[in-house]
Amino acid sequence: MQARLARLEEPIGAGVIAAPRFDRVLIYSHDSFGLGHLRRCRTIAQSLVERRKALSVLILSGSPIIGSFDFRTRVDFVRVPGVIKLRNGEYSSLSLHMDIAEVLRMRASIIRHTAEVFAPDIFIVDKEPLGLRGEIQGTLEALGAGGTRLVLGLRDVMDDPALLSEEWERKNAVSALDTLYDDILVYGLPQVCDPLRGLGLSDSIRQKMTYTGYLESARSHDGSGIPVATVLPEPFVLVTPGGGGDGEDLIDWVVRAYESDPSLPHPALIVFGPFMRPRRREQFRMRIARLDRVEAITFDARFENLMARAAGVVAMGGYNTFCEILTFDKPAVIVPRRRPRLEQTIRASRAEQLGLVRMLSDAPGRDPGAMAEALRGIVSQPRPSDVVVPGLLEGLDNIHRLVERWLDPRGERPRALRAAGGAPS
């Protein structure tokens, strides 16, 4: 507490009045591609400021479309230069004509300086313990030494345990869990998956882990976004490949189903996603234009409103889409990807075993008849709420309770202060 108060006494420049020192949470998302990390971090940030009025949240992100989203008051973002992962596993600058090493140095510098100025009470890191190519290690060490609580947030499923073990050994990630982090939050339930299974974690690391449950999605209340009623009559089936960068096979399969069976009872709204290749997107649009019962849009930043109005959902099964299916209680057919990670396949398989969704494999070659059969029966499928899974959607409630405890001056002190045995001098 003394350390935080001392920051207020530093000179802030002539004519500038210091604002009251409210609690601060910094969230890091590496966001090399796709929407999943950004949307998860945004959901957590929005919920925290809604429930705690004297709190500000700053998101560090590399997403090129973060500015397309709306944010509550007291939530803001700093965008670091974007990178993209190539098919060979290497990274490249998304927009700048610079060597990737230079881009990574720039990102690390921006992250470190932002953290020093923002001086957060809590630093939440999404998925990557040391950040992209280790870019936040120095920031973690500096913040931890100053008393900031360091929290790693993990989705419910990471990857096949053997592949994850190899990847994290290469990144020295397990050591970071032991030496840097105070807490590890799993945004899921153990009966679905243990995301760190197979890593041989010590008891001390396991004791840091808390399963929060899944993150409930919030519907936008401003009335903006795509006017669905002018796109399709209800009830309609919503088809989403998430960000769309790897969703072309799903879209092709659904379109071929409608091409082969014009008698399908429900129209479909396809949301391509902002990262689908423009050429493939336009090829799909040409085919869809010949269909009477299918419409398509590229992207809607208030996607949750579309989900809320859909009669059923066909999706690839990324984390955020799965949370929205649970939140809005939609019968869903999941067609998970198998590369580059098995994350979606593991999640969909376990969710199907629990009775929450139906999983449809594309292994037989994406037979249009199989997809047509799934589309025909989707509305009559059981809904997630037909299954009782205790704590299923309590993620945000539990995160809020933990943050309240961490920020309580009478509560548990941060790791750096506990280790020192008292407050800093």
mmCIF file of all heavy atoms in Angstrom, residues 26-32 35-42 59-63 66 78 80 107 111 123-128 131-132 135-136:
data_model
loop_
_atom_site.group_PDB
_atom_site.id
_atom_site.type_symbol
_atom_site.label_atom_id
_atom_site.label_comp_id
_atom_site.label_asym_id
_atom_site.label_seq_id
_atom_site.Cartn_x
_atom_site.Cartn_y
_atom_site.Cartn_z
ATOM 1 N N LEU A 26 -4.273 -4.377 -15.167
ATOM 2 C CA LEU A 26 -3.678 -4.424 -16.503
ATOM 3 C C LEU A 26 -3.870 -5.831 -17.042
ATOM 4 O O LEU A 26 -3.624 -6.817 -16.340
ATOM 5 C CB LEU A 26 -2.194 -4.071 -16.440
ATOM 6 C CG LEU A 26 -1.424 -4.043 -17.766
ATOM 7 C CD1 LEU A 26 -1.948 -2.936 -18.669
ATOM 8 C CD2 LEU A 26 0.075 -3.857 -17.512
ATOM 9 N N ILE A 27 -4.345 -5.941 -18.289
ATOM 10 C CA ILE A 27 -4.562 -7.241 -18.924
ATOM 11 C C ILE A 27 -3.732 -7.301 -20.201
ATOM 12 O O ILE A 27 -3.762 -6.379 -21.020
ATOM 13 C CB ILE A 27 -6.047 -7.473 -19.249
ATOM 14 C CG1 ILE A 27 -6.901 -7.407 -17.976
ATOM 15 C CG2 ILE A 27 -6.246 -8.812 -19.941
ATOM 16 C CD1 ILE A 27 -8.391 -7.609 -18.220
ATOM 17 N N TYR A 28 -2.993 -8.397 -20.366
ATOM 18 C CA TYR A 28 -2.145 -8.579 -21.551
ATOM 19 C C TYR A 28 -2.705 -9.711 -22.410
ATOM 20 O O TYR A 28 -3.017 -10.795 -21.907
ATOM 21 C CB TYR A 28 -0.716 -8.925 -21.140
ATOM 22 C CG TYR A 28 0.122 -9.531 -22.252
ATOM 23 C CD1 TYR A 28 0.793 -8.721 -23.170
ATOM 24 C CD2 TYR A 28 0.241 -10.912 -22.398
ATOM 25 C CE1 TYR A 28 1.564 -9.274 -24.187
ATOM 26 C CE2 TYR A 28 1.003 -11.472 -23.404
ATOM 27 C CZ TYR A 28 1.665 -10.656 -24.299
ATOM 28 O OH TYR A 28 2.419 -11.217 -25.308
ATOM 29 N N SER A 29 -2.817 -9.434 -23.713
ATOM 30 C CA SER A 29 -3.232 -10.441 -24.679
ATOM 31 C C SER A 29 -2.330 -10.329 -25.896
ATOM 32 O O SER A 29 -2.286 -9.282 -26.534
ATOM 33 C CB SER A 29 -4.700 -10.217 -25.080
ATOM 34 O OG SER A 29 -5.080 -11.085 -26.108
ATOM 35 N N HIS A 30 -1.617 -11.409 -26.227
ATOM 36 C CA HIS A 30 -0.626 -11.296 -27.306
ATOM 37 C C HIS A 30 -1.264 -11.142 -28.673
ATOM 38 O O HIS A 30 -0.731 -10.460 -29.538
ATOM 39 C CB HIS A 30 0.318 -12.496 -27.291
ATOM 40 C CG HIS A 30 -0.306 -13.779 -27.730
ATOM 41 N ND1 HIS A 30 -1.147 -14.517 -26.928
ATOM 42 C CD2 HIS A 30 -0.203 -14.466 -28.893
ATOM 43 C CE1 HIS A 30 -1.527 -15.605 -27.570
ATOM 44 N NE2 HIS A 30 -0.988 -15.597 -28.755
ATOM 45 N N ASP A 31 -2.415 -11.814 -28.916
ATOM 46 C CA ASP A 31 -3.221 -11.577 -30.116
ATOM 47 C C ASP A 31 -2.420 -11.565 -31.413
ATOM 48 O O ASP A 31 -2.383 -10.579 -32.139
ATOM 49 C CB ASP A 31 -3.974 -10.234 -30.004
ATOM 50 C CG ASP A 31 -5.106 -10.295 -29.006
ATOM 51 O OD1 ASP A 31 -5.978 -11.151 -29.153
ATOM 52 O OD2 ASP A 31 -5.083 -9.489 -28.074
ATOM 53 N N SER A 32 -1.787 -12.683 -31.727
ATOM 54 C CA SER A 32 -1.095 -12.752 -33.006
ATOM 55 C C SER A 32 -2.085 -12.903 -34.155
ATOM 56 O O SER A 32 -1.804 -12.504 -35.287
ATOM 57 C CB SER A 32 -0.109 -13.926 -33.011
ATOM 58 O OG SER A 32 -0.785 -15.148 -32.803
ATOM 59 N N LEU A 35 -9.708 -13.759 -32.901
ATOM 60 C CA LEU A 35 -10.490 -12.919 -32.000
ATOM 61 C C LEU A 35 -10.548 -13.445 -30.575
ATOM 62 O O LEU A 35 -10.938 -12.721 -29.660
ATOM 63 C CB LEU A 35 -11.937 -12.818 -32.524
ATOM 64 C CG LEU A 35 -12.172 -12.061 -33.823
ATOM 65 C CD1 LEU A 35 -13.625 -12.216 -34.248
ATOM 66 C CD2 LEU A 35 -11.830 -10.599 -33.655
ATOM 67 N N GLY A 36 -10.177 -14.706 -30.364
ATOM 68 C CA GLY A 36 -10.447 -15.358 -29.090
ATOM 69 C C GLY A 36 -9.843 -14.679 -27.889
ATOM 70 O O GLY A 36 -10.531 -14.409 -26.892
ATOM 71 N N HIS A 37 -8.556 -14.377 -27.937
ATOM 72 C CA HIS A 37 -7.883 -13.793 -26.776
ATOM 73 C C HIS A 37 -8.454 -12.414 -26.454
ATOM 74 O O HIS A 37 -8.742 -12.095 -25.300
ATOM 75 C CB HIS A 37 -6.380 -13.687 -27.027
ATOM 76 C CG HIS A 37 -5.753 -14.980 -27.419
ATOM 77 N ND1 HIS A 37 -5.627 -16.038 -26.549
ATOM 78 C CD2 HIS A 37 -5.233 -15.404 -28.598
ATOM 79 C CE1 HIS A 37 -5.047 -17.054 -27.172
ATOM 80 N NE2 HIS A 37 -4.807 -16.687 -28.410
ATOM 81 N N LEU A 38 -8.615 -11.592 -27.483
ATOM 82 C CA LEU A 38 -9.136 -10.238 -27.271
ATOM 83 C C LEU A 38 -10.535 -10.276 -26.674
ATOM 84 O O LEU A 38 -10.832 -9.554 -25.709
ATOM 85 C CB LEU A 38 -9.136 -9.472 -28.593
ATOM 86 C CG LEU A 38 -9.888 -8.139 -28.593
ATOM 87 C CD1 LEU A 38 -9.285 -7.182 -27.588
ATOM 88 C CD2 LEU A 38 -9.896 -7.531 -29.995
ATOM 89 N N ARG A 39 -11.407 -11.092 -27.217
ATOM 90 C CA ARG A 39 -12.794 -11.112 -26.744
ATOM 91 C C ARG A 39 -12.874 -11.623 -25.310
ATOM 92 O O ARG A 39 -13.685 -11.139 -24.515
ATOM 93 C CB ARG A 39 -13.648 -11.965 -27.677
ATOM 94 C CG ARG A 39 -13.810 -11.354 -29.070
ATOM 95 C CD ARG A 39 -14.707 -12.191 -29.940
ATOM 96 N NE ARG A 39 -16.063 -12.227 -29.411
ATOM 97 C CZ ARG A 39 -16.900 -13.242 -29.592
ATOM 98 N NH1 ARG A 39 -16.502 -14.323 -30.229
ATOM 99 N NH2 ARG A 39 -18.110 -13.187 -29.105
ATOM 100 N N ARG A 40 -12.035 -12.592 -24.958
ATOM 101 C CA ARG A 40 -12.024 -13.087 -23.577
ATOM 102 C C ARG A 40 -11.559 -11.988 -22.616
ATOM 103 O O ARG A 40 -12.161 -11.768 -21.562
ATOM 104 C CB ARG A 40 -11.120 -14.317 -23.495
ATOM 105 C CG ARG A 40 -11.073 -14.959 -22.126
ATOM 106 C CD ARG A 40 -10.512 -16.362 -22.197
ATOM 107 N NE ARG A 40 -9.209 -16.445 -22.823
ATOM 108 C CZ ARG A 40 -8.967 -17.080 -23.983
ATOM 109 N NH1 ARG A 40 -9.942 -17.667 -24.640
ATOM 110 N NH2 ARG A 40 -7.751 -17.129 -24.481
ATOM 111 N N CYS A 41 -10.491 -11.298 -22.980
ATOM 112 C CA CYS A 41 -9.971 -10.224 -22.124
ATOM 113 C C CYS A 41 -10.977 -9.081 -22.003
ATOM 114 O O CYS A 41 -11.155 -8.503 -20.920
ATOM 115 C CB CYS A 41 -8.645 -9.705 -22.678
ATOM 116 S SG CYS A 41 -7.292 -10.895 -22.592
ATOM 117 N N ARG A 42 -11.632 -8.755 -23.090
ATOM 118 C CA ARG A 42 -12.641 -7.689 -23.062
ATOM 119 C C ARG A 42 -13.809 -8.070 -22.157
ATOM 120 O O ARG A 42 -14.307 -7.239 -21.392
ATOM 121 C CB ARG A 42 -13.137 -7.414 -24.481
ATOM 122 C CG ARG A 42 -14.277 -6.412 -24.583
ATOM 123 C CD ARG A 42 -14.650 -6.179 -26.039
ATOM 124 N NE ARG A 42 -15.830 -5.338 -26.178
ATOM 125 C CZ ARG A 42 -17.074 -5.800 -26.273
ATOM 126 N NH1 ARG A 42 -17.302 -7.119 -26.225
ATOM 127 N NH2 ARG A 42 -18.088 -4.979 -26.413
ATOM 128 N N ILE A 59 -6.113 -2.712 -21.340
ATOM 129 C CA ILE A 59 -5.804 -3.928 -22.083
ATOM 130 C C ILE A 59 -4.649 -3.662 -23.032
ATOM 131 O O ILE A 59 -4.677 -2.706 -23.813
ATOM 132 C CB ILE A 59 -7.028 -4.421 -22.879
ATOM 133 C CG1 ILE A 59 -8.198 -4.732 -21.945
ATOM 134 C CG2 ILE A 59 -6.673 -5.659 -23.704
ATOM 135 C CD1 ILE A 59 -9.496 -5.082 -22.671
ATOM 136 N N LEU A 60 -3.636 -4.495 -22.969
ATOM 137 C CA LEU A 60 -2.529 -4.477 -23.927
ATOM 138 C C LEU A 60 -2.806 -5.551 -24.974
ATOM 139 O O LEU A 60 -2.948 -6.722 -24.635
ATOM 140 C CB LEU A 60 -1.209 -4.783 -23.230
ATOM 141 C CG LEU A 60 -0.610 -3.699 -22.345
ATOM 142 C CD1 LEU A 60 0.387 -4.311 -21.367
ATOM 143 C CD2 LEU A 60 0.084 -2.648 -23.211
ATOM 144 N N SER A 61 -2.873 -5.166 -26.236
ATOM 145 C CA SER A 61 -3.274 -6.123 -27.266
ATOM 146 C C SER A 61 -2.574 -5.840 -28.583
ATOM 147 O O SER A 61 -2.292 -4.687 -28.918
ATOM 148 C CB SER A 61 -4.796 -6.062 -27.472
ATOM 149 O OG SER A 61 -5.185 -6.823 -28.590
ATOM 150 N N GLY A 62 -2.334 -6.915 -29.320
ATOM 151 C CA GLY A 62 -1.784 -6.779 -30.664
ATOM 152 C C GLY A 62 -2.828 -6.965 -31.745
ATOM 153 O O GLY A 62 -2.496 -7.076 -32.924
ATOM 154 N N SER A 63 -4.107 -7.000 -31.362
ATOM 155 C CA SER A 63 -5.161 -7.241 -32.343
ATOM 156 C C SER A 63 -5.325 -6.056 -33.288
ATOM 157 O O SER A 63 -5.460 -4.910 -32.834
ATOM 158 C CB SER A 63 -6.491 -7.512 -31.636
ATOM 159 O OG SER A 63 -7.544 -7.564 -32.583
ATOM 160 N N ILE A 66 -8.957 -4.273 -32.612
ATOM 161 C CA ILE A 66 -9.439 -3.955 -31.267
ATOM 162 C C ILE A 66 -10.251 -2.661 -31.260
ATOM 163 O O ILE A 66 -11.200 -2.513 -30.491
ATOM 164 C CB ILE A 66 -8.263 -3.871 -30.266
ATOM 165 C CG1 ILE A 66 -8.800 -3.754 -28.826
ATOM 166 C CG2 ILE A 66 -7.303 -2.742 -30.604
ATOM 167 C CD1 ILE A 66 -7.729 -3.903 -27.760
ATOM 168 N N VAL A 78 -4.243 -0.300 -25.153
ATOM 169 C CA VAL A 78 -3.035 0.130 -25.855
ATOM 170 C C VAL A 78 -2.733 -0.953 -26.873
ATOM 171 O O VAL A 78 -2.573 -2.124 -26.518
ATOM 172 C CB VAL A 78 -1.852 0.314 -24.891
ATOM 173 C CG1 VAL A 78 -0.559 0.546 -25.677
ATOM 174 C CG2 VAL A 78 -2.106 1.461 -23.929
ATOM 175 N N VAL A 80 -0.271 -2.711 -29.339
ATOM 176 C CA VAL A 80 1.128 -2.866 -29.718
ATOM 177 C C VAL A 80 1.176 -3.341 -31.163
ATOM 178 O O VAL A 80 0.192 -3.872 -31.686
ATOM 179 C CB VAL A 80 1.847 -3.863 -28.783
ATOM 180 C CG1 VAL A 80 1.857 -3.345 -27.356
ATOM 181 C CG2 VAL A 80 1.212 -5.245 -28.847
ATOM 182 N N ARG A 107 7.548 -4.095 -29.234
ATOM 183 C CA ARG A 107 6.403 -4.514 -28.424
ATOM 184 C C ARG A 107 6.801 -4.608 -26.952
ATOM 185 O O ARG A 107 6.081 -4.118 -26.076
ATOM 186 C CB ARG A 107 5.895 -5.873 -28.920
ATOM 187 C CG ARG A 107 5.105 -5.828 -30.207
ATOM 188 C CD ARG A 107 4.842 -7.241 -30.747
ATOM 189 N NE ARG A 107 4.157 -8.095 -29.781
ATOM 190 C CZ ARG A 107 2.879 -8.462 -29.869
ATOM 191 N NH1 ARG A 107 2.123 -8.011 -30.863
ATOM 192 N NH2 ARG A 107 2.342 -9.259 -28.967
ATOM 193 N N ILE A 111 5.149 -2.430 -23.901
ATOM 194 C CA ILE A 111 4.493 -3.133 -22.792
ATOM 195 C C ILE A 111 5.123 -2.738 -21.457
ATOM 196 O O ILE A 111 4.428 -2.424 -20.488
ATOM 197 C CB ILE A 111 4.571 -4.659 -23.017
ATOM 198 C CG1 ILE A 111 3.701 -5.066 -24.210
ATOM 199 C CG2 ILE A 111 4.159 -5.423 -21.756
ATOM 200 C CD1 ILE A 111 3.963 -6.469 -24.709
ATOM 201 N N PHE A 123 -2.004 -7.722 -12.499
ATOM 202 C CA PHE A 123 -1.632 -7.911 -13.899
ATOM 203 C C PHE A 123 -2.124 -9.294 -14.315
ATOM 204 O O PHE A 123 -1.653 -10.313 -13.798
ATOM 205 C CB PHE A 123 -0.117 -7.797 -14.068
ATOM 206 C CG PHE A 123 0.375 -7.892 -15.496
ATOM 207 C CD1 PHE A 123 -0.417 -7.521 -16.567
ATOM 208 C CD2 PHE A 123 1.659 -8.363 -15.767
ATOM 209 C CE1 PHE A 123 0.042 -7.600 -17.878
ATOM 210 C CE2 PHE A 123 2.139 -8.444 -17.065
ATOM 211 C CZ PHE A 123 1.342 -8.062 -18.117
ATOM 212 N N ILE A 124 -3.103 -9.335 -15.239
ATOM 213 C CA ILE A 124 -3.662 -10.597 -15.732
ATOM 214 C C ILE A 124 -3.099 -10.870 -17.121
ATOM 215 O O ILE A 124 -3.239 -10.041 -18.028
ATOM 216 C CB ILE A 124 -5.200 -10.545 -15.780
ATOM 217 C CG1 ILE A 124 -5.772 -10.257 -14.390
ATOM 218 C CG2 ILE A 124 -5.753 -11.863 -16.319
ATOM 219 C CD1 ILE A 124 -7.288 -10.095 -14.372
ATOM 220 N N VAL A 125 -2.475 -12.015 -17.281
ATOM 221 C CA VAL A 125 -1.867 -12.420 -18.554
ATOM 222 C C VAL A 125 -2.712 -13.528 -19.165
ATOM 223 O O VAL A 125 -3.015 -14.520 -18.503
ATOM 224 C CB VAL A 125 -0.417 -12.902 -18.341
ATOM 225 C CG1 VAL A 125 0.172 -13.448 -19.633
ATOM 226 C CG2 VAL A 125 0.439 -11.765 -17.793
ATOM 227 N N ASP A 126 -3.088 -13.361 -20.423
ATOM 228 C CA ASP A 126 -3.922 -14.351 -21.085
ATOM 229 C C ASP A 126 -3.074 -15.397 -21.800
ATOM 230 O O ASP A 126 -2.329 -15.081 -22.719
ATOM 231 C CB ASP A 126 -4.852 -13.667 -22.093
ATOM 232 C CG ASP A 126 -5.866 -14.622 -22.693
ATOM 233 O OD1 ASP A 126 -6.792 -15.021 -21.967
ATOM 234 O OD2 ASP A 126 -5.721 -14.994 -23.874
ATOM 235 N N LYS A 127 -3.143 -16.633 -21.332
ATOM 236 C CA LYS A 127 -2.670 -17.844 -22.010
ATOM 237 C C LYS A 127 -1.165 -18.031 -22.046
ATOM 238 O O LYS A 127 -0.663 -19.099 -21.698
ATOM 239 C CB LYS A 127 -3.228 -17.925 -23.437
ATOM 240 C CG LYS A 127 -2.819 -19.188 -24.195
ATOM 241 C CD LYS A 127 -3.369 -19.190 -25.600
ATOM 242 C CE LYS A 127 -2.888 -20.374 -26.409
ATOM 243 N NZ LYS A 127 -1.468 -20.298 -26.770
ATOM 244 N N GLU A 128 -0.401 -17.047 -22.485
ATOM 245 C CA GLU A 128 1.035 -17.220 -22.677
ATOM 246 C C GLU A 128 1.792 -16.742 -21.435
ATOM 247 O O GLU A 128 1.892 -15.532 -21.201
ATOM 248 C CB GLU A 128 1.527 -16.451 -23.900
ATOM 249 C CG GLU A 128 1.030 -16.990 -25.226
ATOM 250 C CD GLU A 128 1.693 -18.309 -25.591
ATOM 251 O OE1 GLU A 128 2.761 -18.633 -25.024
ATOM 252 O OE2 GLU A 128 1.142 -19.031 -26.443
ATOM 253 N N GLY A 131 4.393 -14.368 -22.444
ATOM 254 C CA GLY A 131 4.056 -13.540 -23.584
ATOM 255 C C GLY A 131 4.625 -14.083 -24.876
ATOM 256 O O GLY A 131 5.289 -15.120 -24.907
ATOM 257 N N LEU A 132 4.374 -13.382 -25.947
ATOM 258 C CA LEU A 132 4.870 -13.779 -27.262
ATOM 259 C C LEU A 132 6.388 -13.710 -27.300
ATOM 260 O O LEU A 132 6.974 -12.647 -27.076
ATOM 261 C CB LEU A 132 4.266 -12.850 -28.321
ATOM 262 C CG LEU A 132 4.669 -13.133 -29.774
ATOM 263 C CD1 LEU A 132 4.144 -14.499 -30.220
ATOM 264 C CD2 LEU A 132 4.142 -12.033 -30.684
ATOM 265 N N GLU A 135 8.149 -11.807 -24.446
ATOM 266 C CA GLU A 135 8.207 -10.344 -24.450
ATOM 267 C C GLU A 135 7.764 -9.690 -23.143
ATOM 268 O O GLU A 135 8.054 -8.515 -22.919
ATOM 269 C CB GLU A 135 7.370 -9.787 -25.604
ATOM 270 C CG GLU A 135 5.875 -10.034 -25.479
ATOM 271 C CD GLU A 135 5.087 -9.518 -26.685
ATOM 272 O OE1 GLU A 135 5.706 -8.942 -27.611
ATOM 273 O OE2 GLU A 135 3.856 -9.688 -26.714
ATOM 274 N N ILE A 136 7.059 -10.413 -22.266
ATOM 275 C CA ILE A 136 6.606 -9.768 -21.019
ATOM 276 C C ILE A 136 7.385 -10.250 -19.801
ATOM 277 O O ILE A 136 7.043 -9.865 -18.672
ATOM 278 C CB ILE A 136 5.102 -9.996 -20.789
ATOM 279 C CG1 ILE A 136 4.797 -11.478 -20.562
ATOM 280 C CG2 ILE A 136 4.277 -9.418 -21.923
ATOM 281 C CD1 ILE A 136 3.388 -11.723 -20.064
#
